[in-house]
Amino acid sequence: MLPLGAFGALMGTPGHDPGLVVRQAAEALLAEAGRRPFLIGVDDAHRLDPLSALLVHRLVLHSRAAVVVTVRSGEPAPDAITALWKDGHLDRVEVAPLDRAATAALLEAVLGAPVDGAAADRIWDLTRGNALYLRQLVDGERGAGRLAPVDGLWRWSGRPVVSPGLAELVSTTMGELSEPLRGVVDLLALSEPLGVPLLTRLAGAEPVELAEDRGLVSVERDGRRLDVRLAHPLYGEVRRAEIGLLRARRLRGRIAEALQATGANRAEDTLRRATLTLESDLEADPALLTAAARHALELFDLDLAGRLAAAAVAAGAGFEARWTLAFCLSLLSRGDEAEDQMAPLAALAGDDGELVRCATLRANNLFWTLGEPARGTAVLDRAEAAIGAAGPRFELVAARAPFHAALGRPAPAIACAQEALASPSLSGQGTALATWGLIMALGAAGRADEIAPWAERAHTVAASSHDAANLGPILTDMRIDALRLAGLLHQAARVAEVSRERGAEAPGLSRAFDAAVQGRAALARGRLDTAVRLLREARAGLRQDTGGWAMATLIALVLALARTGDAAAAERALAELEAASHPGLLCYGPEVLLARAWVAAARGTVSEAAALARQAACRAGELDAPAAEVVALHTAVCFGDCGGAGRLAQLAAVVRGPRPRAAADHAAAVLAADGDAVSVAADLFEEMGDPLAAADAAAQAAVVHAGAGRTRAARAASVRAARLAEECQGARSPALLAAARPLPLTRRERETATMAAQGLSSGEIARRLGVSIRTVEGHLYRTHAKLGTSSRTELAAFLGT
């Protein structure tokens, strides 16, 4: 170690007297700063040579400089450095590892864009908030292209590969490993945690105790058990990269045999044994692999369940393993591969119950995954005709309920669901399927107040049924949507929060499903930025989805983007939505039209937006979905079209919940140009938890008051609208823009001016509005005359676009 090496740039030729050398170095350093106050930072002070440590000590005691010293935890430091805090010359501050939230915030600050929640969690799980490990890992994964931006969101795909720099850093922290210690660490690297008795049987008691003393492992109490884990997840990553293939296979086999010898028969023990067996030198056990695949399904880990089921089939397992394999393939949007499993699966069916399970699986694969609803329904028809009125028939009736609901037929959906749910022998999957259809249909019919007991029962059943675990997020999403339609948004928020807690540790695809549910819930409550972030995360995770989740997610994303005024991003998302349209989800027809309406509004074509909202209402009426009709007609009111006021008054007597009455009152008040009544409608929307609708109503109240010359009332309503828009994380809409800058323009003049200010030519404006170029030029001429502008540039500046 070179004496005073850290300060070499400040030194001349060092002398032989250490005290003189340190004093000269301090004087040279202080001379550099002159009379100005300054800060000295000493990083990794534990690496300083003794003379440099003395210099730092002198600077702290005898200079006017502020000194900050860092020392790595667990590393020995020179006495002169440790004396700084022991003698009270410097305050000692322990810098704890970053928690999950701080890690995510740091990642986003460094990467310059939002980070996928699953990626942020995985990175924290590996680094445990150690900033040094974090930097090494992120740099390595970015360089390898596994951590990369997708649609404005940083995502992490594949397994991490520990870079040489990170491996060296972690290996240095672990220190030299003797053969016995390496045995302990390697066993845990391949399968942790391990109980103390099992690990000591495999590695010996003394090495395990030594590993604990060295800080390589931690011992945790789990009830009456003592479990051993590696002290840091990266220890396992580094060792797994260095263990040879044959040694790893042998060790996994030893662990699996030891687990079996203990007699542990919990589901998680079965899953661990089977997973170890897959990559070991042991012979495959079809029964073990099948049971483990079922448990992986209960956890909704589809990739693992599929791997285990495929291995079980290859080992000669029967019906259950092949059914699980086909089920996983279907849920993973590999519908054609699932279809390939159907013929051999049907051949293995031993009774009517298994034949019905085959038919239900195939029908769902055809309807949802392959987008062939007619063929899916036909499979149920043939199966029902084949088995007659026997007990398993109710499983087929249950499967029909969501088909009817998705195709926009709420009445038969309710009938099928209630018939199936009345059967005491209905399976867990049948219960969840029937309830799915029931919730969708009751929500569309305006009967959201009937949903709660059915939904809670189905969630309980789904949680304990391996073939219904995938339906949990769907049940939640449908329930939240039904509550949104009714205006029961505080209830919807509570349902979303329970779902968020339940899905926080969900693996793989279910993480994307949960992001979609939470994103749609955030949109319903007006949290636009939050919604956009979550929905983009969901969209990235559902890019291969063909079963309808992508369509539902994109509808919400289009709406969220358009409500922020980001017309360009909303149009791109709308194009994706058109490509992802699912032929079985006719019930989403009104929502798709409303998504187009809000994109038109974001572009400034408000008359087109209102017309699309009225089309959405007509479509909802055709589908016998009065709750959706209320939302569509009220959207038209927010665009200034109150032609549906009478129909809203009728629907208020049909659809249960606060929204229909508030929407009807809002329409009547705007139609009557009663500013006070419009403000009361805003009160109703705010009370029900819909700040977006409340903001539009408050904005319209401001315009009505201003038109009547009630300046003070107009100002108060405008301020309220701005506050609500801010609460919605920057909402924009035609009503809010009109209230923020009242202009002496007709609606068509404002519409034309907005598009012209956005840079559209007169021809483009004419095509969008369906009028002649001459008409457009006339509107622009009158607009310039009223506003005192003479060019489109001045018009854009005036409108603030």
Side-chain angles (χ1 to χ4, degrees), residues 455-550:
E456 288 161 11
R457 175 193 173 200
H459 269 297
T460 301
V461 171
S464 60
S465 176
H466 75 281
D467 54 2
N470 65 300
L471 297 175
I474 295 176
L475 293 169
T476 298
D477 191 50
M478 294 299 101
R479 185 178 180 185
I480 290 172
D481 202 49
L483 294 169
R484 172 188 68 87
L485 291 172
L488 299 168
L489 291 158
H490 298 297
Q491 290 185 38
R494 289 193 290 272
V495 172
E497 179 59 23
V498 171
S499 175
R500 186 190 65 78
E501 293 171 357
R502 187 187 300 126
E505 302 299 324
L509 190 61
S510 57
R511 181 70 179 251
F513 290 165
D514 184 64
V517 171
Q518 297 301 324
R520 280 161 59 87
L523 173 60
R525 298 175 58 225
R527 305 294 187 262
L528 296 179
D529 285 349
T530 302
V532 168
R533 179 193 183 107
L534 287 166
L535 293 166
R536 279 180 166 159
E537 181 177 328
R539 175 58 181 146
L542 295 169
R543 193 152 292 281
Q544 305 304 318
D545 174 73
T546 60
W549 274 104

Side-chain angles (χ1 to χ4, degrees), residues 83 558 607:
V558 172
S607 58

Side-chain angles (χ1 to χ4, degrees), residues 87 111 114 143 180 230 272 354 368 374 391 404 538 543 571 592 597:
D87 296 340
L111 297 174
L230 291 174
R272 181 187 288 196
E354 291 186 344
W368 299 110
H404 282 307
R543 193 152 292 281
E571 285 180 329
V592 172

